[in-house]
Amino acid sequence: MSRTARVLEVLGLAPLWVRRERLAELQAAQLQAEAANEPAQPEARVERESAAPVADAPAPVERPASQRPAPPTVVVPSPASRAAQEPQQIVQPADARSARIAGLDWDALQAEVAECTACNLCHSRTQTVFGVGNPQAEILIVGEAPGAEEDKRGEPFVGAAGKLLDNMLTAISEKRGERVFIANVLKCRPPGNRNPTVEEVAKCAPLLQRQIELIKPKVIFASGRFAIQTLLETDAPVGALRGKVHQYKSIPVVVSYHPAYLLRNLPDKAKAWRDLLLLKATFKQQG
Ligand code: SF4
């Protein structure tokens, strides 16, 4: 562009007219300049803009069907190909251990418990505490977990709490080792006598479950919160569950306070006595 033309353009006066032979030359130069200044557009934006309706675009001319482009084919994946594309859900044999334990006989179950490393308590125990009594017992007493003394001796309910339990049994004419079997929900001692965790209870539950299946007691006496809540699958407090007969897989369950709790809360011994009477009555009813 000449200097004069540029001045006229800046003043907003150009080009009002040009000679015919210069017109093509000017238009070519202008197109070139526009092309050089045009910023590159991302493809996606071009697509979006072309897909958007243009308000003042001329109405599309209807073409005969034979000339229309074929509509895009929408491929609906078959269930099989969808399954192949989706991440596979790994089906963990979560219950494989439980299923195996459910098939053990008494001796194999004892060996399973003795060797068990299913939860972290295996690292801190002195020994496992399987339970004590008659494997064909009619009354099954289920407590919480071994304490320090039980961990040392390998027997549940020993020490002061054990003595109290023995006295309670004597009061209803029963005795450990005769028609009674005594076990705990957990077979290993939680360090420092802390409460068992949900995971520990869950890992140990199949072992207790199998014990119950093999003993086939006529009645279960669940002693203390963890035993009660594990067997009855509830988080209700002991006080709310006492005084009635519950069921564990069609076996009557009577609940009461743990002897260790009763040693610290002497007034509740009267309630525990009523629970023992309910246990005795329920047992009698079972013939
Ligand atoms: S507490 Fe039960 S599950 Fe945990 S290691 Fe001992 S026996 Fe196994």
Side-chain angles (χ1 to χ4, degrees), residues 97 113 116-119 121-122 125 186-188 203-204 207:
R97 176 176 165 266
V113 170
C116 184
T117 55
C119 82
L121 295 182
C122 68
R125 73 187 176 208
L186 287 185
K187 313 303 183 201
C188 302
K203 290 283 183 187
C204 220
L207 299 168

Side-chain angles (χ1 to χ4, degrees), residues 206-276:
L207 299 168
L208 174 64
Q209 194 175 316
R210 188 58 184 154
Q211 278 181 312
I212 297 172
E213 284 165 2
L214 291 169
I215 295 170
K216 298 187 188 69
K218 287 185 177 164
V219 61
I220 296 173
F221 187 64
S223 177
R225 182 163 66 95
F226 282 96
I228 296 165
Q229 293 181 344
T230 303
L231 288 171
L232 303 183
E233 294 182 346
T234 174
D235 53 8
V238 180
L241 298 166
R242 282 186 53 254
K244 42 198 149 175
V245 179
H246 305 268
Q247 296 285 316
Y248 171 86
K249 299 187 177 179
S250 304
I251 302 169
V253 178
V254 175
V255 309
S256 190
Y257 299 108
H258 193 279
Y261 165 87
L262 292 173
L263 288 173
R264 299 191 305 268
N265 299 273
L266 296 182
D268 280 337
K269 273 190 176 178
K271 293 180 190 169
W273 172 241
R274 288 201 288 277
D275 298 335
L276 283 173

Side-chain angles (χ1 to χ4, degrees), residues 6-7 27 36 61 70 105 117 133 164 180-181 191-192 194 205-206 228 248 261-262:
R6 270 206 301 277
V7 171
Q27 282 173 338
V61 179
D105 64 16
T117 55
L164 177 56
V180 177
F181 191 90
R194 65 158 169 78
I228 296 165
Y248 171 86
Y261 165 87
L262 292 173

